Amino acid sequence: MASTRDIRRRIKSVKNTAQITKAMQMVAAAKMRKAQQAALVGRPYAKLLNVMMAEAATGTVGFDHPLMQSRPVGKRAVVVVGSDRGLCGGLNGNLFREVTKLDKNITVFVTAGKKASLFIARTKRTLAAEFSYKDTPEFAEARAISKFVQQLFLKGEVDAVDILYPRFINTLTQQPSLVPFLPIGKLSAVTAGLNAPKDELSNHDTAEIFEFEPDEETVLGQLLPHSLNFQMHQILLETKASEQSARMVAMKNATDNAKQIIKDLTLEYNKLRQANITKELLEITTAQMAIS
Amino acid sequence: MAATLKLEIVTPTATVFSDDVEMVTLTGIDGEMGIYPQHMPLMTQLAAGEIIAKKGSENIYLAVGEGFVQITGQAVSVLTDMAIKADDIDEVKADEARQKAEQRLSEKLSEEETATVQASLLHATSQLKLKQRTRR
């Protein structure tokens, strides 16, 4: 049986752990609010961008942009967006389970976030490039990733690009989801990653034929890559929101568990202490009786 | 009441402007244009500069970055990476940003960085220009 000193030592160590997880929970909670806010403010922009794209596409007849070309899919690229750090519950684990479902031989991976790169490298999958992004993802970081996959696609090295990321549903739920990125087939697909309500697009009067200035090629040639870059940025923001939420929940669970353990250990400690006192008393009285 | 246009200016961080106005002047990629209600549907790129919205007797000035404009007979939608109302421009800050950007441009930068710095330089200069113009 453990001595009182052992138990005391364990209580102390668990208390330290609880303190750390509690602190991490607080930090994650603060960051989560910021990240969620950042993910939400981009919505009106995303919505308007989608409306523009949809209307532009219906307004042009027979226009074909290289980014819209759909080819039979031989090789495809998947952008895995994970977190940089662990200790965020099952977030990365769930994501990587989806990765293992993909065919190793025809898929090349592009990763964002350290954990994702590590996983792809560890499981010996083809890693085309790895990117990093900061706590508050910047547009430039998203643009770098987006440009890279567009290059892959335009050079014909891959025939389709998908993005795998933990979609933010609410603080408790994050869903790993695989969304198509390239080719920009049906423009409605662009909305998928941004969970913009699709009804609003169809409500819009799309019968109008637009004039383009200077010409449609130039305008769409700018608009399409921009919208891809923006979509990528939005995905990074959502991933951050998911990560912070998952971490907060995981840390809260850890803190609760630690508190429970402290409670149990304290009970055991007190029991043992009492038993010891009783034993000592007994020894003293028996000794006294033997003398007299 | 005269016919109006619904002007919407949206940036990735906020909806900066959303109101009914009578006329919009903006700088397109091919030059400045004035848009009245019943304009023909048009899509174009927006150059960094200013947008003037006329509402009643009042003129509302905004400094904007690069972006896209979509015009229908009833509405003007502007997507841009930066938009700020003339009254909200902090001249000192904008000037500082401009100097910093110019300095950064003289250094050696990667393609990505150059794009970012150039964008912020455009933002700062369009803000400053607008501020000087509205003061007169």
Side-chain angles (χ1 to χ4, degrees):
Chain A
M1 203 172 165
S3 74
T4 47
R5 200 171 352 130
D6 288 337
I7 295 179
R8 219 164 35 216
R9 211 176 275 153
R10 271 197 68 194
I11 291 180
K12 218 171 160 186
S13 106
V14 174
K15 248 186 200 154
N16 279 337
T17 313
Q19 227 162 39
I20 290 169
T21 55
K22 178 90 190 172
M24 282 185 74
Q25 180 196 333
M26 303 290 227
V27 171
K31 281 191 182 167
M32 178 188 80
R33 250 183 306 253
K34 242 171 59 191
Q36 285 182 3
Q37 194 63 31
L40 290 177
V41 290
R43 293 265 163 91
Y45 189 86
K47 218 162 74 187
L48 192 57
L49 192 59
N50 283 320
V51 172
M52 265 196 197
M53 295 260 289
E55 291 189 356
T58 46
T60 54
V61 187
F63 175 73
D64 206 17
H65 191 271
L67 287 172
M68 293 165 91
Q69 226 169 56
S70 70
R71 304 184 283 251
V73 178
K75 241 182 182 329
R76 68 172 182 160
V78 174
V79 184
V80 184
V81 188
S83 69
D84 266 343
R85 264 164 284 168
L87 289 180
C88 47
L91 187 80
N92 285 317
N94 291 339
L95 203 65
F96 299 153
R97 201 166 313 128
E98 295 296 316
V99 172
T100 54
K101 287 181 194 159
L102 302 165
D103 192 343
K104 225 175 177 171
N105 299 320
I106 60 160
T107 320
V108 291
F109 290 91
V110 177
T111 58
K114 265 190 213 122
K115 287 277 159 187
S117 328
L118 283 177
F119 176 79
I120 299 296
R122 200 171 56 226
T123 52
K124 305 232 171 7
R125 283 159 213 276
T126 328
L127 182 62
E130 52 174 288
F131 292 91
S132 61
Y133 58 101
K134 284 188 225 118
D135 245 6
T136 41
E138 273 168 27
F139 193 71
E141 288 158 341
R143 191 168 50 203
I145 304 174
S146 164
K147 256 200 187 143
F148 179 79
V149 293
Q150 281 174 41
Q151 283 302 323
L152 276 187
F153 181 79
L154 290 176
K155 275 192 227 147
E157 281 174 37
V158 296
D159 303 309
V161 179
D162 296 320
I163 301 178
L164 182 66
Y165 75 108
R167 192 157 79 94
F168 179 78
I169 296 170
N170 57 40
T171 308
L172 289 173
T173 352
Q174 294 89 31
Q175 179 86 46
S177 21
L178 191 67
V179 295
F181 191 60
L182 283 168
I184 312 173
K186 289 189 191 100
L187 280 163
S188 59
V190 179
T191 57
L194 306 167
N195 32 7
K198 279 200 184 114
D199 313 336
E200 265 177 71
L201 293 183
S202 50
N203 280 344
H204 227 84
D205 183 15
T206 47
E208 272 173 301
I209 304 288
F210 280 91
E211 289 282 319
F212 287 87
E213 208 180 277
D215 56 66
E216 52 191 55
E217 234 162 287
T218 323
V219 175
L220 278 184
Q222 289 283 334
L223 186 60
L224 293 181
H226 177 76
S227 119
L228 289 176
N229 294 348
F230 183 75
Q231 194 191 352
M232 183 57 87
H233 187 222
Q234 195 69 12
I235 281 173
L236 289 188
L237 288 174
E238 265 196 51
T239 307
K240 263 294 163 224
S242 295
E243 182 195 335
Q244 299 298 0
S245 316
R247 177 164 300 129
M248 191 195 79
V249 173
M251 285 305 115
K252 186 168 170 17
N253 286 340
T255 314
D256 290 350
N257 285 343
K259 280 199 179 133
Q260 186 60 44
I261 291 176
I262 291 173
K263 221 170 125 191
D264 291 350
L265 283 177
T266 317
L267 184 68
E268 205 182 314
Y269 171 74
N270 283 336
K271 268 188 196 159
L272 197 61
R273 195 170 53 96
Q274 264 176 341
N276 278 347
I277 292 167
T278 321
K279 210 170 85 193
E280 255 171 61
L281 274 176
L282 271 177
E283 272 162 14
I284 292 167
T285 39
T286 36
Q288 229 163 19
M289 270 157 75
I291 292 167
S292 58
Chain B
M1 199 181 134
T4 54
L5 277 165
K6 184 161 173 55
L7 174 65
E8 235 184 342
I9 301 176
V10 184
T11 67
T13 47
T15 305
V16 177
F17 190 90
S18 178
D19 204 355
D20 291 321
V21 296
E22 278 143 36
M23 184 200 170
V24 181
T25 311
L26 51 82
T27 323
I29 195 103
D30 284 344
E32 207 162 89
M33 46 188 189
I35 301 144
Y36 284 99
Q38 303 307 319
H39 193 284
M40 77 178 172
L42 177 79
M43 235 170 136
T44 185
Q45 278 172 264
L46 180 73
E50 54 188 60
I51 290 183
I52 306 164
K54 191 161 175 273
K55 186 180 164 73
S57 57
E58 192 190 355
N59 273 340
I60 304 154
Y61 294 86
L62 295 111
V64 291
E66 286 176 318
F68 301 95
V69 193
Q70 185 194 43
I71 301 157
T72 64
Q74 299 83 41
V76 177
S77 311
V78 179
L79 276 181
T80 172
D81 49 359
M82 190 268 310
I84 185 164
K85 281 185 189 156
D87 307 334
D88 300 337
I89 295 175
D90 184 342
E91 208 174 350
V92 181
K93 239 184 182 166
D95 200 40
E96 253 171 41
R98 186 177 59 93
Q99 278 168 6
K100 219 163 103 191
E102 273 172 354
Q103 199 189 343
R104 288 265 288 157
L105 270 184
S106 59
E107 291 164 22
K108 217 172 175 188
L109 295 169
S110 71
E111 201 186 322
E112 280 300 316
E113 284 172 313
T114 316
T116 316
V117 175
Q118 243 154 14
S120 60
L121 180 61
L122 274 178
H123 293 174
T125 41
S126 62
Q127 284 182 28
L128 285 174
K129 256 191 213 153
L130 176 62
K131 197 73 189 175
Q132 280 160 9
R133 222 154 87 95
T134 48
R135 197 178 300 128
R136 257 185 275 141

